[in-house]
Amino acid sequence: MAFLTTAERAFLRTVSDLGYCNPFLPERIESEQAALGADFSAAKAVWSLQVDDPSTPNVNNRKIAERIAILVQKLRDRLVNRVAATEQDLVIYEDAALFLLYDRYPNHFYELIVWALEQKRGRGQCGFYTEFLRDWGHFFNLPSVTLPMPHEAPHVFACFFQLRRAFHHIIESIIGSSMAAARLRAAVWQSIFTHDMRRYRRMLYDRLGDFTTLIRGPSGTGKELVARAIGLSRYIPFDAKTLTFTEDFVGSFYAINLSALPPTLIESELFGHRRGAFTGALQDRRGWLEVCPPLGAVFLDEIGDLDASIQVKLLRVLQTRTFQALGDTTERQFRGKLIAATNRDLSQAMQDGHFREDFYYRLCSDLIVTPSLQEQLRESPEVLRELLLFIARRVAGVEAETLAEEVETWIVQHLSRDYEWAGNIRELEQCVRNVLVRQEYRPPQVRTRSAHDEFSRAFTGGELTADELLRRYCTVVYAQTGSYEETARRLQLDRRTVKSKVDPKLLDRFRQA
């Protein structure tokens, strides 16, 4: 008797792909569809918080788990009965058993996360580990069978808790069903686990603190939320003797806005100081780099504004993981993870000599770019409603539906759906609050988008066909030259071609700009 039939092997390989894929990309849907075939229930292309119905279950995941529960038990019986299995067969069995095991405890882990956030401490006892260990033994401690898995139950339990924490923080922090938001969620997931979750589980789980994450993006796009999701989702070992995790994830994230502090105070905040190190230093103080625990994270917002002298000191931290407090010569160690963010063009800052190249290349071992609100709405206009409802829930509670509708109507009537939202999500939130209080929102400056702006946006966004691009470009050059001959000479085109492409209506708009 073969250990796996052809159909079983195909199904379990798909389950393996599903178990190790990035859950925030469409590949998850593709794996679910491949696993279920005709039983697949239509699902949204990306996994996001459903603000209209947060309790919607994943029907496909439930169907797959039910099938796996039956099949894994059969495979376990075959192993116990000494049916010959190759090493690859055993890997497939392990993947399926892990999938099933994780599926049995997500609510337990979720309750632990909620409790920790409410109590502001994350080291409560995990009594359900005893039950988990019993299931672990049933599937993995088999007589006369040596499975390839290199880790024991406490490590896998810690990995499961990290998976559930990461999913919770990402999906609660990054809202919207646009592909731009999905790509951001996927990028954060990858920042936590890398692209290869098997390798992460084997040997990277305790090493990613050495990788600095740099988050770039416009103001108001949630860079601190991204940093917090990464910082609160680090791997924490589980102590099976005390039934607790070895560190408190809740209090392990330290955020510093560098642009809000003078250089001396920044140094004190980061590195600490000895008494008398500067005027006003009346006692010793430990900086955040020293306070941060090994599995914690320090977030430096607006890193692009950092003074050059402090860049040098932080560069040393990234190179050697050591630093000195102000007024002291003792070497101290930074043991956590560093996350930085900026809305500045660091490439230009390096060219201008304001940002050190060696510092930049130490920062960018892991890079995340947050999309603008305009980018999200351009891809998926319906996201506006989702975001308004999400913000309104925080602002108005039970009146959220009515308020979101009211704000959306006001935006359409007074700003239009093409409004650029220069302040991004932060501006949208203020719009909701303004409409709630005054029934209107007055942006700092509502600027009508010129023909040149529209051309630039359409060009950089890749929205133009080749013919549209030629028509608009001929028109903009003709608006400058006023001559078909000169336009043809500049563009190296035939005069008749230029004349046929110039758009009179668009020409008037370019001339008015």
Side-chain angles (χ1 to χ4, degrees):
M1 176 185 179
F3 180 68
L4 287 169
T5 67
T6 301
E8 289 171 344
R9 187 183 303 277
F11 172 70
L12 290 179
R13 279 180 173 165
T14 305
V15 168
S16 292
D17 292 341
L18 180 60
Y20 289 98
C21 76
N22 191 317
F24 295 107
L25 287 179
E27 64 185 53
R28 178 187 62 85
I29 299 294
E30 294 165 5
S31 294
E32 287 181 357
Q33 193 165 13
L36 291 175
D39 287 341
F40 175 77
S41 298
K44 293 190 176 182
V46 298
W47 207 337
S48 63
L49 182 67
Q50 300 301 306
V51 294
D52 52 346
D53 184 8
S55 62
T56 302
N58 184 340
V59 177
N60 292 318
N61 194 75
R62 176 52 45 209
K63 292 178 181 177
I64 291 171
E66 289 171 357
R67 289 190 184 183
I68 290 176
I70 296 171
L71 183 53
V72 167
Q73 186 58 48
K74 287 182 180 179
L75 297 182
R76 180 191 179 279
D77 292 343
R78 291 173 195 172
L79 289 173
V80 171
N81 292 324
R82 301 180 184 276
V83 175
T86 67
E87 183 170 344
Q88 187 56 45
D89 290 338
L90 295 177
V91 170
I92 290 174
Y93 168 77
E94 282 182 350
D95 287 348
L98 286 171
F99 189 106
L100 178 60
L101 201 56
Y102 179 74
D103 182 73
R104 288 185 175 181
Y105 295 95
N107 291 336
H108 294 74
F109 285 118
Y110 177 71
E111 289 168 5
L112 181 60
I113 293 166
V114 171
W115 177 87
L117 293 173
E118 288 177 349
Q119 300 296 320
K120 295 183 170 45
R121 59 188 181 92
R123 293 196 64 186
Q125 276 204 333
C126 302
F128 66 96
Y129 177 74
T130 304
E131 184 182 349
F132 172 88
L133 195 59
R134 191 162 49 246
D135 285 339
W136 173 272
H138 178 74
F139 291 119
F140 294 109
N141 296 334
L142 305 180
S144 304
V145 179
T146 302
L147 296 174
M149 181 179 291
H151 294 294
E152 296 299 323
H155 171 66
V156 173
F157 190 77
C159 286
F160 283 179
F161 183 48
Q162 185 186 16
L163 286 169
R164 193 64 185 86
R165 254 185 308 129
F167 188 86
H168 173 80
H169 290 303
I170 292 172
I171 207 164
E172 291 285 337
S173 301
I174 305 169
I175 308 301
S177 57
S178 68
M179 279 306 301
R183 286 190 293 269
L184 179 58
R185 284 190 288 270
V188 175
W189 183 267
Q190 204 169 77
S191 181
I192 297 167
F193 298 108
T194 78
H195 72 94
D196 187 342
M197 290 188 64
R198 292 178 187 272
R199 182 164 57 192
Y200 177 84
R201 189 191 73 199
R202 288 195 308 268
M203 48 84 68
L204 289 177
Y205 59 92
D206 60 351
R207 300 187 183 188
L208 284 191
D210 296 335
F211 290 73
T212 304
T213 298
L214 176 61
I215 307 167
R216 289 195 347 238
S219 293
T221 53
K223 294 189 290 296
E224 182 169 348
L225 290 175
V226 168
R228 185 175 294 276
I230 295 170
L232 295 179
S233 301
R234 298 194 61 198
Y235 175 88
I236 304 175
F238 180 73
D239 186 340
K241 293 181 180 178
T242 62
L243 299 181
T244 60
F245 289 94
T246 59
E247 277 195 19
D248 177 359
F249 79 89
V250 175
S252 62
F253 180 79
Y254 307 92
I256 306 172
N257 188 330
L258 300 175
S259 65
L261 300 171
T264 303
L265 194 50
I266 289 175
E267 288 193 72
S268 176
E269 287 289 311
L270 286 176
F271 308 116
H273 63 253
R274 293 293 301 274
R275 186 177 63 180
F278 53 87
T279 303
L282 303 180
Q283 57 186 9
D284 292 352
R285 183 188 185 281
R286 298 169 70 205
W288 291 124
L289 294 180
E290 186 176 358
V291 170
C292 181
L295 299 177
V298 172
F299 172 54
L300 306 181
D301 200 5
E302 307 298 351
I303 194 79
D305 296 336
L306 196 61
D307 186 81
S309 63
I310 305 178
Q311 290 179 35
V312 174
K313 293 187 176 183
L314 272 177
L315 174 61
R316 183 187 175 212
V317 173
L318 297 179
Q319 289 174 328
T320 68
R321 310 289 288 183
T322 62
F323 63 94
Q324 294 174 349
L326 290 175
D328 196 6
T329 57
T330 304
E331 292 284 339
R332 303 165 193 257
Q333 279 201 324
F334 173 56
R335 300 169 297 164
K337 180 181 178 69
L338 191 69
I339 307 171
T342 184
N343 61 0
R344 292 187 178 276
D345 182 347
L346 294 185
S347 298
Q348 187 62 51
M350 286 188 286
Q351 288 181 26
D352 296 340
H354 300 316
F355 204 83
R356 295 178 60 100
E357 287 192 20
D358 50 1
F359 184 45
Y360 173 79
Y361 289 117
R362 283 287 180 177
L363 280 175
C364 68
S365 55
D366 174 34
L367 180 63
I368 294 177
V369 179
T370 55
S372 67
L373 177 55
Q374 186 184 23
E375 183 182 341
Q376 289 200 55
L377 296 179
R378 187 165 63 239
E379 284 188 352
S380 306
E382 69 277 4
V383 167
L384 179 63
R385 174 69 178 172
E386 293 180 20
L387 294 173
L388 288 174
L389 187 54
F390 177 76
I391 294 169
R393 282 219 175 102
R394 292 189 301 179
V395 172
V398 295
E399 295 282 332
E401 292 273 356
T402 305
L403 177 59
E405 209 171 295
E406 185 180 337
V407 176
E408 185 174 21
T409 300
W410 196 93
I411 289 172
V412 172
Q413 291 178 352
H414 297 86
L415 296 179
S416 87
R417 290 191 180 276
D418 292 329
Y419 178 63
E420 293 186 354
W421 298 105
N424 295 293
I425 301 293
R426 189 178 294 134
E427 182 184 359
L428 184 64
E429 183 166 353
Q430 295 313 312
C431 175
V432 172
R433 294 177 183 276
N434 275 241
V435 173
L436 173 66
V437 176
R438 301 188 179 278
Q439 206 173 7
E440 66 174 0
Y441 170 62
R442 295 181 181 274
Q445 181 182 6
V446 180
R447 183 172 65 87
T448 303
R449 186 185 290 153
S450 70
H452 289 92
D453 291 336
E454 290 183 356
F455 179 42
S456 176
R457 181 183 64 80
F459 175 73
T460 55
E463 301 172 7
L464 301 175
T465 64
D467 186 66
E468 288 172 333
L469 179 60
L470 181 59
R471 180 174 59 81
R472 295 198 193 190
Y473 193 44
C474 285
T475 304
V476 73
V477 175
Y478 181 76
Q480 296 171 3
T481 65
S483 164
Y484 291 123
E485 287 79 5
E486 177 60 18
T487 301
R489 186 190 69 77
R490 288 192 186 184
L491 303 185
Q492 298 183 9
L493 293 173
D494 183 78
R495 178 183 181 280
R496 288 169 297 181
T497 301
V498 170
K499 190 172 182 180
S500 68
K501 294 297 181 183
V502 172
D503 184 330
K505 291 183 179 179
L506 188 59
L507 179 61
D508 288 341
R509 294 187 62 200
F510 278 130
R511 283 173 169 170
Q512 292 168 10

